[in-house]
Amino acid sequence: MTRRTVLTIVVMVLVGLLPPLLYWSGNAFYLDLATRLVILAIAATSLNLILGYGGMVSFGHAAFVGIGAYAVGIPAHHWLYGGMDAIATTSGYVQIALAVGVAGFFALLTGLVCLRTTGVYFIMITMAFAQMAYYLILSIEEYGGDDGLVIDTRSEFAWISLDDPIQLFFLAYVSLVIAMLMVRMIVNSRFGMVVQGAKGNPERMATLGFNVYVFRLVAYVISGAMAGYAGALLGNFTTFISPEMMDWSRSGELMFMVILGGASTSVGPVIGAVVFIVLEEFLSHFTVYWHLPFGLMLMAVVLFARGGFVGMLTKRKGR
Amino acid sequence: MTDILQIQSLNKSFGGIKATDDLNLSVQTGELHAIIGPNGAGKTTLISQLSGGQKPDTGKILFKGRNIAGQPAHKRASLGITRSFQITSLIMEMTVLDNIALAVQAGDGHSFRFLRPARSISHLRDRALELLKRVDLAEKADHQTVALSHGEHRRMELAIALASEADLMLLDEPMAGLGTHESHQMVELLRGIKGRHTILLIEHDMDAVFALADRISVLVYGHIIATGTPAEIRDNEAVQHAYLGEE
Ligand SMILES: Nc1ncnc2c1ncn2[C@@H]1O[C@H](COP(=O)(O)OP(=O)(O)OP(=O)(O)O)[C@@H](O)[C@H]1O
Ligand SMILES: [Mg+2]
């Protein structure tokens, strides 16, 4: 086993066991924190597919998460208050299908445009589209606009109840593991090799006969759909959603997690999410400027430890 | 003999520089056609317009009788054109074998496959290994590409061009930066593939060019000033004046 595999297993076992153990021993608070961490890790994992492996630095990933959350909130809202009968439901299956479908479709539409550009332009245009989604939701009064929307009824499934925090945590955790395995499978497939090749040398890939644009677009849609799923979980977790979920700073946080943890590694985004949650939780007690040390750490990692935390933790001596 | 490639009145400018100036050229099926010319003559720019990396301003590029001047690079590759790069263009983050396997995969035509690990697909790996053997790099298969020497990178470029089994191979200075021994090795490799593919070879190394080429065209200031057999080119006065004399 490589060091990275060991690290992955250790981190995943800790993330899966520690929070429930704390919960059962009377520290419910930590389970809450961990559930949020795991959901963010799913979103970061989806971003890692395009940012880490594909070299597409999307600065609008929170939009997909937000869409996923509203795909739970809006049907639940109509189910309670009437209107829009076609989508009024508390069925988790329908809501998740909506979250994945709409987020994927939004990724397709925006990706068609964004992926015409690269570099800084790509960063700016993905951010611009996310802000558009933000203002769109903001402008719909029915869904609370600026004030946000309370989800009165969580998604309903046949076998599990998301009202039980431990079940919600395990659903999120299993989802994270599946998301990580999926991303791993995709990047190692023939499709994934092309996407990775296009990160390293798009001109070469085009010369070989690959339509880089189409490969990137497909990866972008998969990534957006996965982030939509994470958003559906996040909506169920917070039971309160607002356009603020789609703000560019949220997208930035996801980027931080991927880069800080270790882009293009399975466990990197998870470690990034851990660091983020820990910093946010503990530093925010001391200072409202808690983002500052976070930003400094990110800069340090980018400048001195390429490969993020995973890179630092798995570096062999004498190399 | 039929012409696999016909270039008609091709023009391309960068600002005030005419990199390609009313260029006409025919390449016969099966020949090794060399293009020589001084630095900045527009050789690489020509190759890029043929491979689709750059768009010509005006003119026609007929490949197998069909004008491809407006086609994107990936389309041209699927039509049967491959190129190597003067400045090594590999995927440095990947292993040597992965680089070649991707080139094989491109020709295999099944790249929207999401489930099986690409590295477990034996016919791609086997073919890639076979190509690495041909360029004498088999023992480096699992090395990171970035760790290889310049000469090894040049041979990887050739292996990638070979992987495509393209009808037309555009080779941009395969010997650029190689030492004497490595150059000889490359000449022998090219001699081995000559006749099996149509090759448009750009090269500064005159010994190599005169040893390998069936025909030679001389490019000066973006314009072809002469085309002929190596013997004809050697005796051509305009060529001697414009180019060979300076050597
Ligand atoms: N992208 C570009 N932008 C501006 N000018 C360019 C560009 N590419 C090439 N040129 C110019 O076009 C001319 C032809 O360049 P090109 O690289 O095709 O020459 P070359 O014959 O390949 O030279 P060398 O033997 O040095 O490789 C040169 O004057 C070069 O400076
Ligand atoms: Mg050149």
Side-chain angles (χ1 to χ4, degrees):
Chain A
M1 259 197 292
T2 63
R3 278 175 179 232
R4 195 182 283 178
T5 313
V6 174
L7 178 67
T8 307
I9 292 171
V10 169
V11 168
M12 291 315 289
V13 167
L14 285 179
V15 169
L17 284 186
L18 221 50
L21 289 178
L22 284 166
Y23 175 77
W24 284 315
S25 60
N27 296 291
F29 165 74
Y30 290 104
L31 186 74
D32 244 29
L33 216 57
T35 306
R36 183 150 167 267
L37 183 161
V38 168
I39 295 171
L40 289 178
I42 299 171
T45 296
S46 74
L47 177 60
N48 190 29
L49 172 64
I50 55 171
L51 191 158
Y53 296 100
M56 293 167 255
V57 186
S58 160
F59 207 149
H61 222 61
F64 304 121
V65 177
I67 288 171
Y70 274 90
V72 173
I74 291 174
H77 171 84
H78 286 297
W79 182 79
L80 198 60
Y81 299 104
M84 299 277 279
D85 290 344
I87 57 160
T89 180
T90 57
S91 158
Y93 305 107
V94 175
Q95 291 174 346
I96 291 217
L98 266 177
V100 170
V102 176
F105 186 65
F106 184 69
L108 176 68
L109 288 185
T110 56
L112 280 168
V113 179
C114 298
L115 291 166
R116 296 265 168 218
T117 65
T118 52
V120 176
Y121 301 101
F122 181 78
I123 299 176
M124 300 307 282
I125 197 164
T126 49
M127 187 167 131
F129 273 120
Q131 289 302 101
M132 271 170 59
Y134 170 91
Y135 284 114
L136 182 73
I137 289 290
L138 194 74
S139 67
I140 306 177
E141 244 162 70
E142 161 122 51
Y143 306 134
D146 211 359
D147 297 332
L149 185 65
V150 173
I151 299 180
D152 296 288
T153 323
R154 289 196 167 95
S155 300
E156 287 173 344
F157 295 95
W159 304 102
I160 50 174
S161 162
L162 302 189
D163 290 326
D164 176 6
I166 205 84
Q167 292 189 43
L168 179 58
F169 171 78
F170 277 117
L171 174 67
Y173 181 75
V174 170
S175 301
L176 172 61
V177 172
I178 293 174
M180 288 167 71
L181 291 173
M182 257 178 75
V183 167
R184 198 193 183 91
M185 180 184 78
I186 291 170
V187 297
N188 286 322
S189 71
R190 279 172 275 185
F191 170 81
M193 294 303 280
V194 177
V195 171
Q196 293 193 67
K199 172 194 178 186
N201 193 337
E203 191 187 7
R204 163 58 82 188
M205 296 306 284
T207 310
L208 288 178
F210 295 113
N211 188 346
V212 169
Y213 175 70
V214 173
F215 282 86
R216 283 184 172 154
L217 185 60
V218 172
Y220 193 74
V221 171
I222 295 172
S223 169
M226 270 173 85
Y229 178 83
L233 291 181
L234 195 58
N236 274 296
F237 170 69
T238 58
T239 62
F240 168 74
I241 56 184
S242 75
E244 198 269 337
M245 293 175 85
M246 303 192 182
D247 192 58
W248 66 270
S249 58
R250 295 283 97 80
S251 297
E253 287 167 6
L254 289 175
M255 276 172 64
F256 285 179
M257 289 176 217
V258 173
I259 297 168
L260 195 69
S264 58
T265 64
S266 287
V267 77
V270 183
I271 295 178
V274 172
V275 174
F276 175 78
I277 291 284
V278 168
L279 281 181
E280 180 189 60
E281 194 49 44
F282 297 104
L283 287 177
S284 59
H285 285 312
F286 300 111
T287 165
V288 289
Y289 301 111
W290 69 272
H291 274 102
L292 184 67
F294 199 71
L296 290 177
M297 267 178 88
L298 184 76
M299 276 173 65
V301 163
V302 170
L303 291 176
F304 303 114
R306 296 195 67 199
F309 273 72
V310 172
M312 285 193 274
L313 292 170
T314 57
K315 192 155 51 187
R316 266 175 249 138
K317 294 224 166 67
R319 256 191 141 194
Chain B
M1 261 214 174
T2 53
D3 293 335
I4 192 169
L5 179 73
Q6 287 175 313
I7 303 167
Q8 297 172 354
S9 341
L10 203 67
N11 285 286
K12 170 97 188 160
S13 304
F14 296 109
I17 303 166
K18 283 206 127 206
T20 307
D21 184 10
D22 191 28
L23 189 149
N24 292 281
L25 177 71
S26 295
V27 176
Q28 292 172 354
T29 309
E31 75 171 333
L32 192 154
H33 195 123
I35 293 185
I36 60 174
N39 289 109
K43 303 182 293 296
T44 298
T45 306
L46 172 61
I47 294 279
S48 293
Q49 291 171 86
L50 298 179
S51 71
Q54 291 181 330
K55 297 256 173 299
D57 296 339
T58 60
K60 280 189 187 166
I61 300 168
L62 301 177
F63 179 64
K64 298 178 187 167
R66 173 169 160 198
N67 189 8
I68 56 161
Q71 305 265 24
H74 64 89
K75 261 286 177 42
R76 299 189 201 194
S78 60
L79 291 173
I81 299 179
T82 188
R83 77 171 284 186
S84 75
F85 291 83
Q86 177 176 1
I87 297 164
T88 302
S89 177
L90 301 163
I91 302 153
M92 290 296 169
E93 302 85 347
M94 286 188 176
T95 66
V96 175
L97 189 61
D98 282 345
N99 266 272
I100 314 298
L102 259 177
V104 177
Q105 184 186 321
D108 197 47
H110 297 286
S111 285
F112 280 99
R113 296 291 189 280
F114 298 84
L115 303 181
R116 273 179 68 190
R119 294 183 184 91
S120 75
I121 294 167
S122 49
H123 74 274
L124 300 180
R125 293 269 128 178
D126 293 348
R127 173 97 178 95
L129 259 176
E130 193 184 302
L131 287 159
L132 281 175
K133 276 201 195 97
R134 264 171 85 179
V135 299
D136 201 17
L137 281 176
E139 72 281 13
K140 300 274 172 134
D142 293 323
H143 290 227
Q144 281 312 119
T145 301
V146 70
L148 265 59
S149 72
H150 176 73
E152 290 166 333
H153 284 157
R154 301 310 294 166
R155 279 183 275 146
M156 279 180 72
E157 283 272 340
L158 185 66
I160 288 169
L162 287 171
S164 65
E165 291 177 39
D167 302 318
L168 176 62
M169 288 174 52
L170 310 168
L171 303 181
D172 196 354
E173 301 202 25
M175 280 151 235
L178 295 188
T180 329
H181 171 72
E182 287 174 324
S183 285
H184 280 302
Q185 199 179 7
M186 186 64 79
V187 170
E188 287 319 308
L189 281 170
L190 292 176
R191 208 193 297 281
I193 59 173
K194 186 185 152 170
R196 283 195 256 172
H197 306 261
T198 309
I199 299 173
L200 190 64
L201 171 71
I202 290 180
E203 195 42 69
H204 272 302
D205 182 334
M206 285 307 132
D207 294 337
V209 167
F210 282 93
L212 289 168
D214 299 309
R215 289 198 302 161
I216 298 173
S217 289
V218 184
L219 187 66
V220 179
Y221 293 123
H223 193 76
I224 301 277
I225 60 165
T227 296
T229 62
E232 286 165 0
I233 292 299
R234 208 184 313 248
D235 297 338
N236 186 309
E237 232 168 80
V239 173
Q240 282 176 354
H241 181 72
Y243 185 45
L244 292 179
E246 297 167 11
E247 287 280 300

